C-alpha cells in the first residue's frame, strides 16, 4: 500500500523501472549516462529468483553506475587542479559519493574550494549536483 502510494505520487519512477527492465531484456545490458555497460545475462531467465536479481540490477546499475562515473570524473579533475595549483594536500580515499583528503592546514580553504567546484561541476544534469565539506582530525570528526 505504501509503495502503491509512492508510485501514484511519482509515476515516472515506476515508468523508469519498467523501461530499464525492458531495455535490459532486449539488449542484455543497461548503460550509465556515460555509456558504461552492465551486462545482465540472467535478465530473461526462467528462474524467477535469478531473473528478479537481474531486474533489480537493471534498475539500479544505471543510477549507481552513473554516480560512480561522475565521482571518477570529479576525482580526475581534482587531481589535475591540485597539480596545476601546486597543492601539496592529497586525496586519500573514496567511499561511494565521498572523497577524503589529507589536507595541509594552510591549504584548507583552497582545497575546499577546488573540491566543491570540481564535484559540483563534474557532470551537467537537469538537477544541480550539490556537495558539502567537513573537516576534522579523523573521519568521524569531519562528519
Amino acid at each position: 500500500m505504501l509503495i502503491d502510494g509512492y508510485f501514484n505520487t511519482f509515476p515516472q519512477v515506476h515508468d523508469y523501472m519498467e523501461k530499464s527492465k525492458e531495455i535490459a531484456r532486449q539488449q542484455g545490458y543497461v548503460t550509465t549516462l556515460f555509456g558504461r555497460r552492465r551486462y545482465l545475462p540472467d535478465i530473461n531467465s526462467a528462474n524467477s529468483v535469478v531473473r528478479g536479481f537481474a531486474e533489480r540490477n537493471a534498475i539500479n546499475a544505471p543510477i549507481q553506475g552513473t554516480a560512480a562515473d561522475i565521482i571518477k570524473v570529479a576525482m580526475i579533475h581534482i587531481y589535475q587542479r591540485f597539480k596545476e595549483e601546486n597543492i601539496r594536500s592529497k586525496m586519500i580515499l573514496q567511499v561511494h559519493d565521498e572523497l577524503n583528503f589529507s589536507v595541509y592546514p594552510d591549504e584548507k580553504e583552497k582545497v575546499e574550494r577546488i573540491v566543491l567546484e570540481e564535484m559540483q561541476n563534474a557532470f551537467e544534469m537537469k538537477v544541480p549536483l550539490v556537495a558539502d565539506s567537513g573537516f576534522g582530525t579523523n573521519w568521524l570528526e569531519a562528519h
Side-chain angles (χ1 to χ4, degrees), residues 22-125:
E22 187 54 38
I23 288 169
R25 284 186 200 101
Q26 291 172 2
Q27 299 179 160
Y29 64 87
V30 291
T31 60
T32 69
L33 290 178
F34 287 69
R36 198 161 47 89
R37 292 180 181 183
R38 170 75 187 263
Y39 287 91
L40 301 164
D42 296 325
I43 193 69
N44 294 309
S45 174
N47 181 319
S48 64
V49 174
V50 171
R51 185 179 60 251
F53 183 76
E55 287 174 348
R56 287 186 294 282
N57 276 297
I59 294 164
N60 189 51
I63 297 167
Q64 292 291 83
T66 296
D69 294 345
I70 291 170
I71 200 158
K72 287 177 184 124
V73 168
M75 291 168 69
I76 292 166
H77 291 168
I78 291 166
Y79 175 78
Q80 291 169 339
R81 290 275 305 274
F82 278 20
K83 280 180 67 174
E84 290 168 6
E85 300 187 32
N86 296 314
I87 301 292
R88 297 169 296 144
S89 300
K90 300 291 181 199
M91 186 180 332
I92 58 170
L93 180 67
Q94 177 214 350
V95 179
H96 303 293
D97 63 348
E98 183 172 327
L99 299 176
N100 292 326
F101 298 82
S102 179
V103 178
Y104 285 90
D106 62 314
E107 294 180 341
K108 180 181 173 187
E109 288 79 18
K110 198 170 190 179
V111 165
E112 182 177 33
R113 180 180 48 79
I114 291 168
V115 170
L116 290 176
E117 284 174 7
E118 296 303 337
M119 288 189 76
Q120 293 179 156
N121 295 302
F123 186 66
E124 189 173 334
M125 301 180 75

